[in-house]
Amino acid sequence: MKHLIDIKSLKNDEILEIIELAKYYEKNVPLGTQKKKQKGSVALLFFENSTRTRFSFEMASRKLGFDVFNFEAQKSSILKGEGFFDTLNNLNAIGCDIAVIRHSREGFIEELAQKNYSYGLSLINAGEGKSAHPTQALLDFYTLNKHLGTLEGKKIVIVGDIVHSRVAKSNIELLSRFGAQVVCCSPDYFEDWTLEHIKYEPNINIALKDADAVMGLRIQKERIENNVPYAQYIADYQINEKNMPDSAILMHPGPVNRDVEISSTLLDTKGEIIIEQPRNGVFVRMAVLDLIFEGVQR
């Protein structure tokens, strides 16, 4: 692996290699410990707000023994007119091996990856616009496999703002590839009919029936121009103790808006896996960083 741009760019055997290495790290590198020092450096360049993903990548990097540098755009030469490609090239020349990037522009990271970096910088997509969030999908895949054993034939229901969600798009691509039946449930203004490998069911009670896992999504207020009828959305699409199947696992990529996409009561009684997801994310991102750094060393 040279870069991690999106799920589509990964082969199935690469995905499974990431998952197996993440299992190894979960077993052998518990939280709070550190692996042998690696001779490498990771730059974190987040141009959108983040808590889980940024801290997770920083924790994963430090556990692997990498030096970590947090890039602050408002204090950088970008404000002096330097292009982003030149910024990355200079960071790489200084000694950074991997750049973890979150950005609002669609296709931005792939565009960067196709450029000729002088020293072979590797790029990891940490969330891009509304199109892709590959490491979130990988950690969700890891979490689902831990609890369901296999995804083959399992019914995974994604509820909420599908059209603006990069998490949904990456998960749909990954989960359907491994045999899951992905059902999306949302009002028509949150549907995305360009997506493949899914079934839409607008009635939440029908959608959640016999589900093996339910994944709630945050309404992406920062990407929506029109007003959302929140009261009606909550009445029709909130996941709560009345419609959540007892046997299904509850997931959410975070941050959760309590009593909007998931009721507080359900979150407090059945939300343990939502907290487990970011924990699993550290081990998955350790695996991604390690495999990409191997490629850098080659």
Side-chain angles (χ1 to χ4, degrees):
M1 291 173 63
K2 171 67 175 174
H3 308 290
L4 177 55
I5 307 301
D6 54 25
I7 294 299
K8 290 180 180 179
S9 66
L10 290 175
K11 298 176 183 177
N12 283 9
D13 59 348
E14 290 176 317
I15 292 169
L16 295 175
E17 185 179 13
I18 292 168
I19 297 307
E20 287 305 310
L21 187 54
K23 288 179 184 177
Y24 168 82
Y25 281 137
E26 181 172 13
K27 182 178 178 181
N28 293 285
V29 189
L31 291 174
T33 64
Q34 182 170 297
K35 193 174 177 281
K36 184 179 178 181
K37 180 77 173 176
Q38 298 258 32
K39 294 181 180 178
S41 298
V42 176
L44 305 180
L45 300 96
F46 279 64
F47 291 84
E48 290 187 322
N49 295 335
S50 173
T51 301
R52 275 152 294 277
T53 304
R54 184 173 68 82
F55 275 86
S56 181
F57 267 112
E58 183 163 355
M59 179 70 76
S61 299
R62 294 189 187 281
K63 282 179 170 298
L64 290 168
F66 292 124
D67 292 322
V68 181
F69 299 91
N70 279 288
F71 177 87
E72 296 182 61
Q74 296 304 313
K75 297 179 181 180
S76 75
S77 294
I78 286 176
L79 292 188
K80 299 178 182 179
E82 182 175 62
F84 195 68
F85 167 71
D86 294 318
T87 296
L88 290 179
N89 229 1
N90 278 279
L91 288 175
N92 195 207
I94 289 166
C96 291
D97 301 292
I98 300 171
V100 180
I101 303 170
R102 170 168 288 191
H103 204 275
S104 60
R105 198 174 115 202
E106 310 289 326
F108 182 64
I109 298 168
E110 183 175 11
E111 187 180 300
L112 289 170
Q114 292 173 352
K115 292 181 179 288
N116 182 28
Y117 291 97
S118 301
Y119 299 91
L121 185 70
S122 289
L123 307 179
I124 296 176
N125 183 346
E128 182 183 61
K130 58 183 182 181
S131 63
H133 196 345
T135 58
Q136 180 67 47
L138 287 165
L139 77 87
D140 290 342
F141 180 65
Y142 184 79
T143 304
L144 286 162
N145 274 285
K146 281 178 65 175
H147 290 275
L148 302 181
T150 178
L151 291 189
E152 188 67 40
K154 302 297 185 182
K155 181 180 178 181
I156 314 297
V157 183
I158 303 176
V159 182
D161 184 1
I162 307 295
V163 71
H164 299 106
S165 174
R166 54 193 172 209
V167 173
K169 294 176 179 70
S170 290
N171 263 302
I172 289 165
E173 171 69 26
L174 177 51
L175 303 182
S176 60
R177 200 190 294 184
F178 284 86
Q181 176 196 355
V182 182
V183 176
C184 290
C185 179
S186 68
D188 57 5
Y189 50 84
F190 283 154
E191 292 176 353
D192 185 346
W193 289 101
T194 68
L195 300 176
E196 301 176 346
H197 314 300
I198 61 168
K199 171 187 175 183
Y200 268 110
E201 173 48 64
N203 185 301
I204 193 168
N205 294 303
I206 296 174
L208 297 189
K209 181 176 172 55
D210 300 322
D212 295 290
V214 178
M215 185 181 300
L217 296 175
R218 180 178 66 89
I219 295 174
Q220 307 274 308
K221 292 180 286 187
E222 67 276 21
R223 306 186 202 283
I224 300 172
E225 295 180 1
N226 300 321
N227 292 327
V228 175
Y230 275 91
Q232 192 62 50
Y233 178 88
I234 291 167
D236 294 340
Y237 291 98
Q238 183 188 85
I239 306 165
N240 54 48
E241 51 279 11
K242 295 179 181 179
N243 54 36
M244 179 70 187
D246 291 337
S247 59
I249 64 173
L250 178 64
M251 300 175 67
H252 193 296
V256 180
N257 290 301
R258 281 178 175 265
D259 294 316
V260 179
E261 58 263 30
I262 302 176
S263 71
S264 284
T265 300
L266 186 64
L267 196 61
D268 291 338
T269 57
K270 203 178 174 71
E272 65 276 3
I273 294 175
I274 293 174
I275 299 300
E276 182 189 325
Q277 285 173 264
R279 182 181 189 278
N280 292 338
V282 174
F283 303 118
V284 168
R285 289 174 175 126
M286 285 178 73
V288 169
L289 287 163
D290 201 354
L291 289 169
I292 285 180
F293 189 65
E294 274 189 21
V296 171
Q297 295 301 94
R298 292 194 193 107

